[in-house]
Amino acid sequence: CVHSLDEKNIQQSRNALNTLSKQTAHLLTQHQLFKQELIKAKRLQEKTQQQLVQLRTKHITDQQTGLYKRHYLNQQTQLWLDQQKSVCAIAIQIDNLDHFIDNYGDVIGEVILNKVAKQIQKYVFESGLPGRTGKAEFTVLLADIDPETANVIAEKVRNGVEKLRFVSSKSGIKLPTIDLSLGIAEHSDEKDFNKLARKASNAAHKARSLGQSSFIAGQ
């Protein structure tokens, strides 16, 4: 268009400017369409990212309690061991969950599980990874924390759960308190999370048999 501008040929110059104007308008329209497509692509990317996060969360967390699944705890244990970190595990077992389910129903059983899970999250949120590893058992992973400190954390969880009170909305009857058994185990020669968790679980069974609130493996 610039080369077509000629002060001696007014009509030719007008045609050139008219062409330039049309092309500019067309370019602006294309730019606007491109901008709209970019916005759509960005929204689609954000939606896809949210779906990926949801899928990953669903993959690594227990849907009922929101705590981590066993396979994620196993991965984290391997990562910490590869980093030469010491690892402790706390097994938290609900001794009377079956009593709640048998006498008050499955819904109450789920309530008990969720309440205990929330107490565990409350006390180990910043210091460890809480997971559900059985029907009535939770396991907390702790890195670079000695068994005595882990025992203090376990007792905080137990005290928090003991403060919970439940009353039946139908009958008004006060439900029994939640009984917990706690076991603490420190990694020594265990090769994976499952062996460490079993060691902590056995310590919890030991605590129950001895009538103690908690028991540290090896003591």
Side-chain angles (χ1 to χ4, degrees), residues 112-126:
I112 298 300
L113 276 172
N114 289 330
K115 291 294 184 181
V116 174
K118 289 188 180 301
Q119 289 296 315
I120 293 172
Q121 285 180 315
K122 177 180 177 181
Y123 290 104
V124 304
F125 177 72
E126 295 182 353

Side-chain angles (χ1 to χ4, degrees), residues 3-214:
H3 292 296
S4 299
L5 296 177
D6 187 350
E7 61 182 9
K8 296 179 180 180
N9 191 334
I10 303 300
Q11 187 60 43
Q12 178 179 308
S13 297
R14 286 177 177 174
N15 291 338
L17 290 173
N18 187 47
T19 300
L20 178 61
S21 178
K22 290 180 180 179
Q23 291 298 326
T24 301
H26 178 70
L27 181 61
L28 289 173
T29 300
Q30 292 297 316
H31 176 73
Q32 189 64 31
L33 291 173
F34 180 65
K35 187 177 179 181
Q36 292 174 358
E37 290 300 320
L38 281 177
I39 292 173
K40 290 180 182 179
K42 185 178 180 181
R43 289 175 180 171
L44 180 61
Q45 181 189 21
E46 291 174 349
K47 184 178 180 181
T48 303
Q49 189 68 28
Q50 290 175 355
Q51 290 174 338
L52 288 173
V53 171
Q54 291 172 354
L55 284 172
R56 184 176 185 276
T57 301
K58 189 175 181 180
H59 177 65
I60 67 174
T61 57
D62 175 57
Q63 291 186 353
Q64 189 172 8
T65 62
L67 302 186
Y68 291 111
K69 292 182 179 179
R70 180 181 288 271
H71 70 84
Y72 180 76
L73 296 178
N74 190 42
Q75 292 174 5
Q76 193 60 47
T77 301
Q78 293 297 330
L79 177 63
W80 285 344
L81 292 178
D82 291 342
Q83 295 172 347
Q84 304 299 313
K85 292 185 177 182
S86 62
V87 183
C88 267
I90 304 173
I92 302 169
Q93 299 173 352
I94 306 176
D95 298 336
N96 55 345
L97 180 63
D98 286 336
H99 173 77
F100 281 105
I101 294 174
D102 294 340
N103 291 276
Y104 305 104
D106 292 333
V107 174
I108 295 298
E110 292 180 4
V111 171
I112 298 300
L113 276 172
N114 289 330
K115 291 294 184 181
V116 174
K118 289 188 180 301
Q119 289 296 315
I120 293 172
Q121 285 180 315
K122 177 180 177 181
Y123 290 104
V124 304
F125 177 72
E126 295 182 353
S127 57
L129 295 176
R132 186 183 181 190
T133 49
K135 175 186 173 182
E137 183 177 70
F138 305 96
T139 304
V140 177
L141 274 184
L142 304 161
D144 291 335
I145 292 179
D146 59 83
E148 294 299 332
T149 303
N151 191 42
V152 172
I153 295 173
E155 285 300 319
K156 287 183 178 180
V157 172
R158 184 181 64 80
N159 291 333
V161 171
E162 283 184 347
K163 294 176 183 178
L164 297 175
R165 296 292 182 269
F166 302 95
V167 178
S168 173
S169 59
K170 293 183 179 180
S171 62
I173 298 175
K174 184 182 293 186
L175 274 60
T177 56
I178 302 171
D179 297 328
L180 298 182
S181 292
L182 307 172
I184 297 94
E186 185 179 23
H187 168 265
S188 54
D189 58 350
E190 291 79 19
K191 301 297 183 181
D192 56 31
F193 167 76
N194 291 327
K195 292 181 180 178
L196 179 61
R198 192 179 306 115
K199 186 176 177 181
S201 182
N202 290 337
H205 287 298
K206 184 77 171 179
R208 188 186 311 170
S209 65
L210 295 175
Q212 300 177 358
S213 60
S214 63

